[in-house]
């Protein structure tokens, strides 16, 4: 193609003339820069290159990172990963070579991106999120993305979402809101991890996390202040009562004192809230992670205690009684995964008591079919949204709509294996979920999300809305 043919094909002579005229009208002090920017906007954006690589997550385990290039810039994203994966979630593709990273490498997923996904997406408009996601799903004939990999698809999908926002010249959360048909961004209440247990810490505490929710804050900035101050008061309380070793932290940044009962942890937190001066303004939340200590149809709350004299088994009915007593004694607003992933019966019985929000994690796996069953049967009343369990942003938006149509709560969640990617912060705001779970005010990969939410609130200015006491009614 000759130069003249190229100019004619893309109508560049007319576009250049328009750019020069615009620079004159604007009385630009730097007409060359003005014309360059004007021309850049006049040319439709298209994906020109996708480059994936293997990086390490916050646990030192490999994950996927993607650089997605358009003719206007480069956009980077990475996929988080959990400690355990369930049979009902989308599948991560890992190498399985025990000689490298103990079999947890992701070079196969990287190859799938650099070869299969890249070839399918080159030339596509990054603002067309659903078409991009569908093109990736069309490459995989399995129901759970086992061929291409949910980790591969997710990193690309997030990068494309960032590129789409840039093409529209809007903030990422605004682009996400547009994709979902919403126009009311909301800053979420953070469920801040303060005590870690379960498989996320080396203490004897069976439950995975105990969190604080600053529902009484006036804005997100104050919520983070309340969370941070309470966290450091808790450090002092733990040091006094359990010794300085109790101030070591788990995967999510929560303290890991060597306690064995939930009430011990709640008492420590209750004292910290009192010392911080936030009585009545902070609610509590528990991620039980009960699937990890369910044996048959009973629950072993001493599963981490070595050389125990007898196993502390509880039936489903015993667990309901325990939760009822805890909710009566402490300001608990939310309990996540209170039973095994397949214990629909007792999860429903707890939900029917109406004593707190009951969040489905392993029970649902962010799987539309399981969410539908839970809605139909009234099993729980909130979704824990883990984007890597789904695989694409289009599907994420769909399951959030599914949950909200059922008048459920939605908790956007991090994973134990996180990166510095802040996407879930914008996701929570754009989809107005009202709740986000991103770990402790400690460890950079956790704080990255909270800091991004601070920036978003600052950017929204007087239009910023903090979910606060309305965290369940959005």
């Amino acid at each position: 193609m000759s130069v003249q043919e190229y100019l004619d094909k893309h109508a560049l002579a007319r576009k250049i003339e328009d750019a020069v005229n615009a620079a004159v009208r604007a009385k630009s002090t730097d007409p060359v820069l003005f014309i360059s920017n004007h021309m850049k906007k006049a040319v439709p954006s298209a994906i020109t290159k996708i480059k994936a690589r293997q990086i390490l997550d916050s646990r030192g385990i490999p994950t996927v990172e993607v650089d997605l290039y358009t003719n206007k810039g480069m956009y980077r994203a990475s996929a988080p990963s959990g400690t355990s994966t369930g049979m009902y979630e989308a599948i991560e593709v890992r190498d399985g070579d025990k000689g490298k990273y103990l079999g947890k490498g992701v070079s196969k997923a990287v190859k799938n991106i650099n070869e299969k996904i890249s070839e399918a997406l080159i030339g596509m408009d990054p603002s067309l999120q659903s078409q991009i996601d569908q093109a990736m799903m069309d490459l995989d004939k399995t129901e759970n993305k086992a061929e291409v990999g949910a980790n591969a698809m997710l990193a690309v999908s997030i990068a494309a979402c960032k590129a789409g926002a840039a093409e529209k010249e809007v903030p990422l959360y605004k682009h996400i809101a547009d994709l979902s048909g919403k126009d009311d961004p909301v800053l979420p209440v953070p469920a801040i991890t303060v005590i870690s247990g379960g498989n996320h810490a080396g203490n004897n505490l069976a439950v995975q996390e105990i969190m604080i929710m600053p529902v009484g804050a006036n804005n997100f900035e104050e919520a983070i202040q309340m969370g941070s101050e309470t966290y450091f008061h808790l450090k002092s309380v733990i040091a006094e009562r359990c010794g300085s070793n109790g101030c070591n932290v788990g995967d999510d940044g929560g303290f890991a004192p060597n306690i064995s009962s939930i009430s011990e942890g709640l008492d420590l937190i209750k004292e910290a809230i009192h010392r911080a001066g936030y009585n009545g303004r902070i609610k509590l939340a528990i991620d039980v992670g009960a699937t990890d200590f369910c044996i048959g149809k009973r629950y072993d709350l001493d599963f981490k205690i070595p050389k125990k004299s007898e196993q502390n088994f509880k039936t489903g009915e015993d667990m309901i009684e325990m939760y009822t007593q805890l909710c009566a004694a402490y300001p608990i607003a939310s309990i996540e995964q209170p039973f095994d992933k397949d214990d629909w019966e007792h999860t429903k019985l707890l939900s029917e008591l109406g004593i707190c929000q009951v969040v489905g994690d392993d029970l649902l796996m962010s799987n539309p079919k399981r969410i539908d069953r839970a809605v139909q049967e009234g099993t729980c009343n909130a979704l824990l949204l883990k984007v890597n369990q789904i695989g694409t942003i289009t599907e994420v938006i769909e399951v959030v709509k599914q949950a909200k149509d059922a008048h459920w709560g939605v908790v956007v969640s991090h994973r134990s294996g996180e990166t510095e990617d802040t996407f879930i912060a914008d996701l929570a705001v754009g989809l107005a979920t009202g709740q986000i779970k991103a770990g402790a005010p400690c460890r950079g990969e956790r704080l990255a999300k909270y800091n991004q939410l601070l920036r978003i609130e600052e950017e929204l200015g007087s239009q910023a809305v903090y979910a606060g006491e309305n965290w369940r009614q959005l």
Side-chain angles (χ1 to χ4, degrees):
M1 182 184 294
S2 68
V3 173
Q4 188 59 51
E5 287 174 335
Y6 186 87
L7 290 171
D8 293 341
K9 179 179 178 180
H10 296 284
L12 288 181
R14 177 61 182 274
K15 290 176 181 177
I16 293 171
E17 183 181 351
D18 290 343
V20 172
N21 289 334
V24 171
R25 288 195 299 271
K27 298 180 180 178
S28 172
T29 56
D30 190 339
V32 174
L33 179 61
F34 185 97
I35 291 168
S36 174
N37 290 334
H38 188 92
M39 289 293 294
K40 199 172 185 180
K41 293 178 183 178
V43 178
S45 184
I47 297 172
T48 58
K49 177 184 174 182
I50 299 175
K51 172 65 177 175
R53 66 181 62 86
Q54 178 173 276
I55 62 169
L56 301 184
D57 68 20
S58 57
R59 304 162 302 173
I61 295 175
T63 190
V64 178
E65 181 177 80
V66 165
D67 292 345
L68 184 147
Y69 294 80
T70 72
N71 49 337
K72 298 184 179 181
M74 186 274 282
Y75 308 91
R76 177 171 291 164
S78 53
S81 180
T83 298
S84 59
T85 55
M87 66 181 74
Y88 306 113
E89 66 181 277
I91 300 296
E92 296 177 330
V93 168
R94 293 192 180 270
D95 299 343
D97 180 358
K98 298 298 183 181
K100 294 182 179 180
Y101 290 107
L102 306 179
K104 296 183 181 294
V106 292
S107 61
K108 290 181 180 178
V110 167
K111 184 178 180 181
N112 286 341
I113 294 171
N114 289 338
E115 295 180 3
K116 296 180 181 179
I117 292 178
S118 178
E119 182 180 353
L121 301 189
I122 295 299
M124 293 188 71
D125 182 343
S127 65
L128 302 178
Q129 186 73 40
S130 63
Q131 293 182 25
I132 289 170
D133 291 340
Q134 188 59 56
M136 288 193 289
M137 288 188 281
D138 288 344
L139 297 173
D140 195 312
K141 304 306 179 185
T142 66
E143 186 177 354
N144 58 3
K145 302 178 175 67
E147 292 178 355
V148 176
N151 48 349
M153 289 190 195
L154 179 64
V156 176
S157 187
I158 292 175
C161 195
K162 293 178 179 180
E167 170 63 11
K168 292 165 58 178
E169 297 185 328
V170 298
L172 180 55
Y173 63 85
K174 177 65 168 63
H175 178 50
I176 294 169
D178 291 343
L179 291 173
S180 67
K182 293 186 173 295
D183 58 2
D184 54 348
V186 175
L187 275 297
V189 170
I192 300 170
T193 304
V194 289
I195 289 182
S196 295
N199 288 332
H200 288 188
N203 54 10
N204 291 334
L205 184 63
V207 302
Q208 197 155 276
E209 296 170 80
I210 305 179
M211 298 161 279
I212 57 175
M213 300 175 65
V215 298
N218 294 307
N219 50 50
F220 186 81
E221 182 180 10
E222 185 181 23
I224 287 299
Q225 178 186 334
M226 292 167 66
S228 178
E229 290 174 1
T230 302
Y231 181 81
F232 285 103
H233 278 291
L234 178 61
K235 184 176 183 179
S236 298
V237 174
I238 291 172
E240 292 168 12
R241 299 186 183 182
C242 307
S244 58
N245 285 343
C247 297
N248 292 331
V249 300
D251 286 352
D252 306 330
F255 296 117
N258 199 23
I259 56 178
S260 56
S261 74
I262 302 173
S263 57
E264 286 182 82
L266 293 171
D267 285 336
L268 293 171
I269 297 168
K270 188 176 178 180
E271 175 61 22
I273 292 171
H274 173 72
R275 292 189 187 184
Y278 295 127
N279 285 335
R281 299 182 67 194
I282 292 179
K283 298 290 186 183
L284 304 178
I286 304 171
D287 174 6
V288 182
T291 299
D292 293 335
F293 54 88
C294 181
I295 302 175
K297 293 187 176 181
R298 297 194 295 171
Y299 298 87
D300 182 11
L301 289 169
D302 289 341
F303 84 105
K304 294 173 66 179
I305 298 177
K307 299 179 181 179
K308 53 194 171 188
S309 58
E310 61 182 42
Q311 290 178 311
N312 181 17
F313 280 124
K314 288 185 180 293
T315 65
E317 288 74 16
D318 294 335
M319 296 288 282
I320 289 175
E321 179 62 26
M322 179 185 73
Y323 296 138
T324 302
Q325 292 175 359
L326 289 172
C327 287
Y330 303 94
I332 296 172
S334 181
I335 298 179
E336 176 188 329
Q337 202 53 45
F339 301 97
D340 179 65
K341 66 182 182 302
D342 290 316
D343 193 344
W344 296 77
E345 175 190 357
H346 291 104
T347 307
K348 180 178 180 179
L349 289 172
L350 179 61
S351 297
E352 289 175 342
L353 293 177
I355 56 177
C356 66
Q357 173 179 257
V358 178
V359 185
D361 178 11
D362 298 343
L363 180 82
L364 303 175
M365 291 290 179
S366 303
N367 183 311
K369 292 182 179 178
R370 291 179 73 84
I371 294 170
D372 183 62
R373 176 183 171 184
V375 169
Q376 297 302 321
E377 298 181 8
T379 312
C380 56
N381 52 39
L383 164 68
L384 191 78
L385 179 69
K386 295 176 175 177
V387 293
N388 73 305
Q389 291 182 333
I390 306 172
T392 69
I393 302 309
T394 299
E395 292 169 291
V396 165
I397 292 170
E398 289 171 355
V399 297
V400 170
K401 183 179 186 302
Q402 187 180 7
K404 288 200 166 194
D405 285 349
H407 306 290
W408 280 15
V410 177
V411 186
V412 172
S413 178
H414 65 160
R415 300 308 310 265
S416 60
E418 267 297 335
T419 72
E420 60 271 30
D421 196 308
T422 63
F423 179 78
I424 64 168
D426 286 83
L427 183 71
V429 175
L431 298 183
T433 61
Q435 303 174 67
I436 189 170
K437 175 182 172 184
C442 169
R443 301 189 54 157
E445 76 280 356
R446 315 293 157 178
L447 287 167
K449 283 70 168 171
Y450 294 135
N451 289 339
Q452 175 66 0
L453 287 164
L454 290 171
R455 298 182 196 104
I456 291 172
E457 183 170 65
E458 178 184 67
E459 183 176 274
L460 286 169
S462 61
Q463 294 183 321
V465 175
Y466 175 61
E469 299 285 357
N470 296 317
W471 58 279
R472 279 279 298 159
Q473 281 75 50
L474 293 170

